[in-house]
Each structure stands twice: as C-alpha cells, then as structure tokens.
Amino acid sequence: MMPGLAILTIIALLTGLAFFKGQAKGLFAVGLVSLTACLSSWPAFHALFGDPLQITLNGGPVFGKIPIRVDSLSGWFILLMNFTMLTGIVYGIRYIKPYQDQTANVTIHYASYWFNQLAMVGIYVLQNSLAFLCVWETMAISAFLLVIFEQNKMATLGAGINYLVQSHIGIAFLTVGFIWVSSHTGSYDFNAIGNYSASINSALSFVLFVCFFIAFAIKAGFVPFHTWLPYAHPAAPAHVSGVMSGVMIKLGIFGILRMLLLIKENYLPVGYFIIVISLITGIYGVMLAIIQHNLKKLLAYHSIENVGIIGIGIGLGTLGLGLHNLYLVFTGFAGALLHTLNHSLFKSLLFYASGTIYQAAHTMHLERLGGLIKKMPQTATLFLIAALAISGLPPLNGFISEFLIYSGLFAGLRSHEWSYSFMIITVIFGLSVIGAMAMLCFVKAFSIVFLGEPRHPTPQNVDTEDFVRLFPLYVVAFFVIVIGLVPWLFVVALENPISLYTNGQNTGALQSQVMNTLRITGYASCGLIVLSLIIMGIRKIATRSRVVTIAPTWGCGYSSPTPRLQYTANSFVRSYRKLIRPLLIMNKKEKAIEGVFPEPVYSETHPYDKIEAVLIDLPVKRIKLFMSRFRFLQNGSIQFYILYGMGFIFISITVPLLLSAIKYVVNLFKQI
C-alpha cells in the first residue's frame, strides 16, 4: 500500500512539474527538492544524534523484506547531501534561465535532478541488496540525463555515455558481490554480508571487500577508476557539476564506510590497501589538475585529489581498528567524515563560481580569461575563499579536516612497528605534497582568471552578480568560514557515526582531547582574522591622505604592452610541467618562427591521462580492430540480411534439437 501511494505521489508531482512554464517550473522544482530535503532530514537529524530509525517494508515475492535503516552514518550523509542539493537547485534556476525556451529539455532536467535526490536518499537508507541496486541504477540514469543537458554537443554526449558505461561497470561489481553473499546466505539483507564475512576465512573476506570497494571506488573516482570524472564534470551544467562533485561521488565514500561496518575482518590489510590507493589518488589527481587549461576540468581533477584525502582518513581509521588504537580511529574517521562535508561545500562553491564565470565570458578556457576581478568582484571573492579552503589553509574549513588527519598521522608515529611507521611517514609526506601542489594550482587558476588584463574580448555588460544568483554561493561560503572558526560544533556531531566503528567503546576522553585542540585552533583562526583586520585598518588610516592614482604597469621600456605579454596558464606551470612530463602524455602543437618577417606563432600543450590511455583507449582500440574484421557482414545487400535472418532461425531451431538428441544418447549409454 505504501509503495503504491508513493509512486502515485511521484507521478502527480511530475505532472505538476510538466504543467508549469518558465521560471515557475524552476520554482516548483525548488519546492520538490525542498520538500524531499525536509522529509528526509528530520529522521536523519534524529539518527545523527542517537535516535536511529528502522522500519521494514514488504517488497513482495521478488524483493522480500526491505529493511529501511537510518543510522547516524546515513544521517550525516543525508544532511550534507540535502544541503548541497538545495543550494544547487537554487543556483540552477538562474543558470538554466537562458534555456527556458527548451521546455521539454528543462522539464526532463528538473525531473532528473529530483529523481537523483530521491535515489540518493534511497541509497543511504535501503539495506536490501535488490532494492539498493534499483535505486543505484536510478541514480546513475538520472545523473546521466543531468550531464547531457546540452545534448546537442557531441563532447557532452560522449562524456555522458562514458559516465554511464563506467557506472554500469561499478553496478556489475556490486551485483557480483551481492549475488556472492545471497547465494551462500539466501538473504538480501545487508546484515547477511557481515554474517557471511565472519563465517569465511580472512583471504576470502578481503576479496569480498575488494569486490565492493571497486564498485564504490568507480563512483567515488579513486585512481585508476577515475577516468569518467574529468569528462562528466566539465560537460554538465555548473550546478550539476557542483552536486556531482559535492555529493554524488560521496556515494562511493558512503559505500566503502558501510562495507567497513559490515565486513569486520582483515582491518590491517584493508587499512593499508585503502591508504595506498588513496595516497596515489590524491597525488595523481592534483598532479593532473595543475596542467589543465579548462577551469572545470581542473576542478574535476581536484575532486579526485580530495577523494584521496578522504580515503587517507578512512584508511587511517581502519588501521586504528586493526591496531586497537582508538585515537587513530577517532581522528581518521572524524577527519574523513568532516572532509566529506568540507569538500561538498568548497567544491560546490567553486563550481557555482565557474558557472557564473562561464555565463559572463562564454568560455572555460583559462587562456581566454583574465581581469575578471574588475567586472565580477563578488564572484572573485567567493572563488578565492573556496580556493583557500581547498588548499587547506586557515582559517577555513579545509584546514580543519586535514588537521584532524594530520593529528592522527603524527600520533601514529609513536608505534614501534617499523613498517607501520614507514607507512605513516610516507603518508605525511604525500599529504604535504598534495597540499603544496593544490596551492600552486589555485594560485595559477585565480591569477589567470581574475587578475591582469583580459586576454580576449569579453562582453562589456556583465550581469551575473545579482543577489538571487549569488545568494546560494554566499550561504555556502558562510559555512566554509564558520566550520573553520568553530569546528568543534561540527565535530561533536560525529560522535555517533564514529561509535559505530568502535563497538560502543568509550571515546569520551579522546573526544574531549580533540575538542580542546580544535577550540584552540578555532580561537587562533579568529585571532588571525582579527589581526588581519587590525592591519588593514592601520593601513587605511595611514594612507587615507594619500592620493590614489591608476596608471598602466611599467612595461620595462616597452612602449606598447599588450595582454599577450602576460603569463599564460601554460607558462605559469612550465617548470612543473617539464618536471613531470615523463609521467604524462603531453601532446604539443606549435608553429616555429620562420623567415625574416615571421608570421604569428603559437604553442599549445594538451596533457592526457596516461592511465586512461592504458586502461580505456588501448582496450577500446583493440576491440574496434577485432570487430573491424567482421565489417564485411555489413555490406548493404538486402539478400544477405535475409540470409542472416534465415540462418539465425535455423540455428535457433536446430541447436536445441541437437542438444536434446545428445542428451538422449547419453541417457541411453547410461542405461546400458
């Protein structure tokens, strides 16, 4: 009765969405997303603070009993997902406005956005493997429709299909894992996964975990399963990119954390495994981000980097479980969960700002941007806040979650096992390298986009900084700052999710220790802001009588400076690019200087992911080469096509008869 009523309600609301026109359609979509957020956030909030919800639905003869469990882990992810989905749809109304004449396309877009939210809620609460696969498929298809909003562009369609294919590879691994468990237990309940893993040996339990890990790692964007992400994020509209990076890829993080709760064996090897994969992911992601020329593709690779940081926290917490070290458990999982929230905030803010830049300049190519701080000061300020946060600098939220992970890593150095200490030192070094390269990348991005002079003509009247458009960006920026100043208010909410991994062991003393450290950190951040304001005030007072003049920058004796003499994004990181060139595929196009009176010259570099070339391009090329051998079958002759049909019918009839005859003869010999 209840599922049928829910389906009728969804159909009625979709009919209402199709009925509205223009801006009213967007407002109705905001209402749908807000309603879903309110209905799902209420039990999620209660579950997060110690009042979990569990109900069971009757799924009929196919699904059986469908348990719906909202525990504190689900509650945390539902709350951060709903927040980003709300800011995304509010921002999306203005972003979609130029496309309002495409009524059917806009309707499908808003419907897909809402279905995606519903599917993600289902993923967080459903603990029946068949029902879980259904909502996971719904999430994948709705995300595909969101990505291909501008389906008239071949690059967008290619990115969407690439995402859909790789998503279904992940679904295949999920299906294998669920079938493996259900074939031995006869149950589709998630609890059967834990019971089964406890009944088999450690090696098989580890293999089962790896099967699920690969499925969720594809969604999260761990290396080497990341190749869909740098294409889907740039192809999607800005608000969809923010949601995909902010919360959709976090479904993979949630899945890994859920499996760690269910498969409670092999914590030490699992911890090492996660840390190694995560460290490679973080370094490789930021390494490729630095050399990108497309702003959204640059941000997409930073999603890979931050997934690696989250994974390091998860791996650290898992090692703590294996070593029975509660401090590692608390700081590792707390850092990972808080960075999940922080990344959803500053990365969605960056993507929303990139959308504003795109609609002002009509390009995402860094080499065609510049000087936008004069036309878009508010967007520049918001982008700078998010850039500082993603670089892990105080007094913003990215610093806090990375600080927690660092605290656990330094505490882990007290171990007397040399192999463990070596691993921790390597991770500390790797995490510091990630932070340094992230700062290099965003110094490049901010300076090339906003500073200097425009490298190419841009529209004179830039009307992209109205209050309605920037309101969701200011809301997100507010939380980016607040978490950096009062982090203990958010970390205290993680007590119940972390207690799921400690089996109820008392972590009160550890939590108090961490909270005291975070309070000192928060007060220091507040002091930094106050000190900065005092210095700015003193400077303003000291220079108030000075006449301010605006003049061109000194051109070193060159009388006709042009914007082309500025640093480009490519030249900004030239030394770095030359240093890592052996690790990448670098396609370069250039025209050399020739003759006494040379024509204008140019030089372009197009970096390419070597992992993508090996894992995706090479197999696809070989499959195409193999299939091309059968191209003669497609000869355009209708007689041959009729012959193919007759041959298929003949085979369909004769093969079963032949198998029956063979079976009959075998039975005769058995009787003899």
Side-chain angles (χ1 to χ4, degrees):
M1 187 70 176
M2 187 177 295
L5 182 61
I7 292 172
L8 289 175
T9 303
I10 291 173
I11 293 173
L13 292 173
L14 288 176
T15 304
L17 180 63
F19 175 79
F20 286 99
K21 306 292 183 183
Q23 287 289 95
K25 190 187 294 291
L27 294 174
F28 188 76
V30 171
L32 289 179
V33 174
S34 301
L35 177 63
T36 305
C38 292
L39 293 177
S40 58
S41 295
W42 180 255
F45 182 82
H46 281 275
L48 181 61
F49 290 99
D51 187 17
L53 171 69
Q54 177 171 339
I55 59 176
T56 303
L57 299 179
N58 185 5
V62 176
F63 292 95
K65 300 295 183 181
I66 302 178
I68 296 178
R69 302 186 181 106
V70 187
D71 59 7
S72 53
L73 183 65
S74 300
W76 176 260
F77 278 90
I78 289 173
L79 289 172
L80 71 90
M81 180 272 294
N82 282 332
F83 178 82
T84 303
M85 293 296 287
L86 280 171
T87 58
I89 193 65
V90 173
Y91 177 81
I93 292 178
R94 296 305 298 269
Y95 189 89
I96 296 294
K97 188 177 180 180
Y99 307 91
Q100 289 296 341
D101 57 327
Q102 305 175 18
T103 306
N105 194 21
V106 172
T107 301
I108 292 173
H109 180 78
Y110 284 136
S112 300
Y113 193 95
W114 183 47
F115 264 100
N116 194 265
Q117 183 189 23
L118 292 173
M120 285 194 283
V121 172
I123 288 170
Y124 290 134
V125 302
L126 292 176
Q127 295 201 12
N128 174 287
S129 57
L130 290 180
F132 185 88
L133 286 173
C134 288
V135 294
W136 191 275
E137 177 72 14
T138 303
M139 176 274 301
I141 294 175
S142 60
F144 165 72
L145 294 174
L146 290 171
V147 169
I148 63 166
F149 176 72
E150 297 183 271
Q151 73 275 8
N152 56 315
K153 299 179 180 179
M154 290 303 297
T156 300
L157 277 177
I161 292 171
N162 183 11
Y163 162 75
L164 192 63
V165 170
Q166 296 201 46
S167 292
H168 280 81
I169 294 174
I171 291 172
F173 275 96
L174 274 178
T175 304
V176 169
F178 287 140
I179 290 176
W180 182 356
V181 173
S182 63
S183 63
H184 288 85
T185 63
S187 173
Y188 298 123
D189 195 309
F190 275 19
N191 288 334
I193 300 174
N195 296 332
Y196 174 69
S197 67
S199 66
I200 57 179
N201 62 56
S202 298
L204 273 179
S205 181
F206 181 77
V207 172
L208 178 63
F209 175 81
V210 170
C211 182
F212 283 114
F213 179 86
I214 292 174
F216 292 121
I218 292 173
K219 185 62 185 174
F222 281 93
V223 174
F225 313 109
H226 67 285
T227 53
W228 65 270
L229 196 149
Y231 294 97
H233 283 36
H239 60 289
V240 175
S241 300
V243 167
M244 288 189 74
S245 182
V247 293
M248 278 192 219
I249 64 174
K250 305 301 170 38
L251 295 170
I253 299 297
F254 170 79
I256 293 170
L257 288 169
R258 178 63 70 192
M259 288 303 140
L260 285 173
L261 282 175
L262 297 172
I263 304 175
K264 300 181 180 180
E265 301 291 334
N266 302 314
Y267 280 132
L268 274 179
V270 166
Y272 284 121
F273 172 76
I274 294 175
I275 283 182
V276 170
I277 294 291
S278 301
L279 188 59
I280 294 171
T281 297
I283 294 176
Y284 194 76
V286 71
M287 185 177 69
L288 285 179
I290 294 173
I291 55 176
Q292 300 305 316
H293 303 321
N294 182 292
L295 180 58
K296 288 183 73 176
K297 198 166 187 178
L298 178 150
L299 297 178
Y301 274 109
H302 272 287
S303 295
I304 298 171
E305 171 228 332
N306 280 274
V307 163
I309 295 174
I310 294 170
I312 289 172
I314 294 173
L316 183 65
T318 308
L319 281 180
L321 292 175
L323 296 170
H324 306 289
N325 187 326
L326 290 181
Y327 189 81
L328 294 185
V329 174
F330 189 89
T331 53
F333 286 120
L337 290 170
L338 187 61
H339 202 72
T340 302
L341 169 62
N342 290 341
H343 179 253
S344 71
L345 293 172
F346 55 64
K347 184 51 69 66
S348 60
L349 179 55
L350 285 167
F351 272 116
Y352 299 160
S354 72
T356 306
I357 294 167
Y358 176 76
Q359 294 198 321
H362 306 298
T363 182
M364 283 282 94
H365 201 292
L366 292 176
E367 307 294 14
R368 301 183 66 86
L369 296 169
L372 290 180
I373 194 171
K374 300 180 182 68
K375 296 181 178 180
M376 309 171 66
Q378 296 181 69
T379 302
T381 302
L382 292 165
F383 189 96
L384 180 61
I385 290 172
L388 293 172
I390 197 173
S391 300
L393 296 176
L396 302 171
N397 63 345
F399 169 76
I400 298 300
S401 47
E402 292 190 30
F403 176 79
L404 281 171
I405 295 173
Y406 271 118
S407 299
L409 289 171
F410 281 110
L413 288 175
R414 301 169 186 170
S415 173
H416 298 292
E417 298 181 20
W418 72 267
S419 59
Y420 174 72
S421 298
F422 176 78
M423 169 67 76
I424 293 297
I425 292 171
T426 303
V427 175
I428 291 173
F429 175 76
L431 198 55
S432 61
V433 168
I434 291 171
M437 289 199 291
M439 282 189 281
L440 169 63
C441 186
F442 278 98
V443 168
K444 163 195 156 180
F446 184 82
S447 60
I448 297 299
V449 173
F450 292 105
L451 304 182
E453 296 294 330
R455 290 166 178 80
H456 288 268
T458 56
Q460 294 299 316
N461 298 321
V462 179
D463 185 23
T464 56
E465 294 218 315
D466 56 281
F467 175 77
V468 176
R469 182 187 294 272
L470 294 183
F471 173 73
L473 280 74
Y474 277 112
V475 172
V476 176
F478 171 78
F479 282 99
V480 168
I481 297 170
V482 166
I483 294 176
L485 298 180
V486 287
W488 59 89
L489 297 181
F490 295 85
V491 174
V492 72
L494 296 174
E495 179 182 0
N496 288 320
I498 295 172
S499 68
L500 296 175
Y501 297 91
T502 59
N503 294 322
Q505 296 183 61
N506 186 13
T507 59
L510 291 176
Q511 186 174 351
S512 299
Q513 180 182 348
V514 172
M515 290 301 172
N516 290 334
T517 305
L518 290 178
R519 283 190 179 90
I520 295 172
T521 305
Y523 296 150
S525 298
C526 293
L528 177 62
I529 293 177
V530 171
L531 180 62
S532 301
L533 292 174
I534 291 172
I535 293 173
M536 291 173 62
I538 294 173
R539 178 183 178 275
K540 189 171 183 179
I541 293 171
T543 59
R544 61 185 175 182
S545 59
R546 183 178 299 178
V547 178
V548 178
T549 58
I550 299 176
T553 305
W554 180 51
C556 301
Y558 186 70
S559 59
S560 301
T562 70
R564 296 187 64 188
L565 295 179
Q566 300 176 104
Y567 267 106
T568 63
N570 189 24
S571 61
F572 193 93
V573 294
R574 182 173 180 270
S575 300
Y576 166 81
R577 191 188 71 243
K578 291 176 68 176
L579 182 66
I580 67 164
R581 187 167 185 172
L583 303 177
L584 304 169
I585 297 176
M586 194 71 67
N587 302 315
K588 190 173 184 179
K589 296 181 180 179
E590 61 182 351
K591 184 176 181 180
I593 299 176
E594 296 178 353
V596 179
F597 301 101
E599 296 180 355
V601 299
Y602 65 88
S603 176
E604 295 180 0
T605 59
H606 299 274
Y608 195 68
D609 188 345
K610 188 171 284 188
I611 291 180
E612 182 178 356
V614 174
L615 295 183
I616 305 294
D617 294 348
L618 185 60
V620 169
K621 184 178 180 180
R622 290 182 176 177
I623 291 172
K624 285 183 177 179
L625 182 63
F626 175 76
M627 297 302 294
S628 66
R629 298 178 181 178
F630 302 95
R631 192 172 294 168
F632 68 90
L633 295 173
Q634 190 178 359
N635 49 34
S637 174
I638 190 171
Q639 291 90 344
F640 275 96
Y641 294 155
I642 293 173
L643 181 62
Y644 299 157
M646 293 176 63
F648 176 76
I649 294 172
F650 176 77
I651 293 172
S652 300
I653 294 173
T654 55
V655 168
L657 292 176
L658 183 61
L659 292 175
S660 299
I662 293 173
K663 185 177 180 181
Y664 177 74
V665 172
V666 170
N667 289 333
L668 282 178
F669 275 105
K670 286 182 178 180
Q671 292 176 4
I672 294 173

